[in-house]
Amino acid sequence: MIENLKFAYETKIVLDIKKLEFEKNKIYAILGANGSGKTTLLKILNGLLGTRKFKIENSIYVHQNPLLFSGTVFDNVAFGLKIRKEKNINEKVKDALKLVGLENFENRKSKNISGGEIQRVAIARALILQPKVLLLDEPTANVDKQTVRLLEKILQQIKNKTTVIFASHDHHFAKRISDKIIYLENGEIENLGE
């Protein structure tokens, strides 16, 4: 639950949210025009901006244009597990890539894959760490229709374990996939839609 969230860049207030509640295992879409505060809200929820007071525990943020490390797809997806010194990394990477429809991509060079594939590798890299909340910034930007459909399937599959909160301009995608839609206008919540 978020109450009385105010955030400004210098003197311009970009968010002024009285109350906002997220339930477990649901998919939330945050819709609004450019500059309405969507990305700022996601970054605050992930603790990247503002005070840590509004940070959602165990959340991972996937940027609109995710950056992959040089090297292979495997290196990218395994990165967080290696830092944590986890076991069965090979098996977990295979499972994560299968979930996002990129089986047998382990040895592909990250610089040789498409925009939609980069997005899916970034999602696999996030999901392999089993976050309670996945925050996605414009997941359907710069991807083709086939990838959009695949993203819908992936997000529906994971919602029994992971709450998904995404910011988007894509009203059709949001309406097809979300349990709740949050409309932001000038940093304020206009209304909540089921």
Side-chain angles (χ1 to χ4, degrees):
M1 160 113 59
I2 289 170
E3 287 185 303
N4 302 319
L5 164 58
K6 273 193 185 212
F7 187 82
Y9 289 112
E10 292 173 11
T11 57
K12 184 182 188 298
I13 292 176
V14 287
L15 282 177
D16 187 0
I17 296 174
K18 305 285 181 271
K19 187 176 172 186
L20 181 57
E21 206 167 343
F22 297 107
E23 294 173 51
K24 281 183 182 175
N25 306 355
K26 293 214 182 297
I27 299 175
Y28 292 87
I30 303 169
L31 297 179
N34 282 340
S36 61
K38 301 185 302 294
T39 297
T40 301
L41 177 56
L42 288 183
K43 287 182 175 177
I44 287 170
L45 294 177
N46 192 238
L48 296 170
L49 278 178
T51 67
R52 300 190 62 81
K53 175 175 147 186
F54 299 107
K55 182 185 185 313
I56 294 177
E57 292 304 311
N58 195 358
S59 63
I60 294 182
Y61 172 79
V62 178
H63 195 276
Q64 179 177 345
N65 298 305
L67 291 173
L68 297 186
F69 311 120
S70 60
T72 64
V73 166
F74 179 91
D75 297 333
N76 275 274
V77 178
F79 182 76
L81 295 181
K82 286 180 177 175
I83 286 176
R84 291 180 178 184
K85 295 183 169 55
E86 296 226 5
K87 294 183 170 86
N88 306 326
I89 289 177
N90 288 2
E91 199 178 304
K92 288 174 181 174
V93 170
K94 278 187 175 174
D95 289 346
L97 288 173
K98 187 176 181 185
L99 177 67
V100 298
L102 294 175
E103 298 96 317
N104 306 317
F105 264 64
E106 295 98 313
N107 298 320
R108 297 250 186 126
K109 294 284 185 208
S110 59
K111 65 181 182 201
N112 296 336
I113 61 176
S114 72
E117 290 162 352
I118 288 171
Q119 187 76 12
R120 288 188 279 155
V121 169
I123 290 171
R125 183 171 63 188
L127 291 177
I128 205 168
L129 299 174
Q130 300 179 316
K132 287 201 166 55
V133 181
L134 181 64
L135 303 163
L136 300 170
D137 195 2
E138 298 286 353
T140 60
N142 316 316
V143 298
D144 59 21
K145 278 186 183 165
Q146 187 182 350
T147 302
V148 171
R149 293 281 182 217
L150 198 59
L151 283 172
E152 285 178 29
K153 199 172 143 191
I154 293 163
L155 298 182
Q156 291 289 2
Q157 265 183 292
I158 66 166
K159 83 171 195 179
N160 61 343
K161 292 181 185 167
T162 307
T163 301
V164 178
I165 305 170
F166 69 91
S168 186
H169 283 90
D170 188 339
H171 287 249
H172 298 296
F173 176 74
K175 285 183 175 144
R176 281 195 307 269
I177 193 171
S178 305
D179 296 303
K180 288 204 170 150
I181 296 178
I182 300 158
Y183 294 95
L184 267 185
E185 196 170 318
N186 298 321
E188 295 183 19
I189 292 174
E190 282 304 297
N191 62 354
L192 292 172
E194 294 290 327

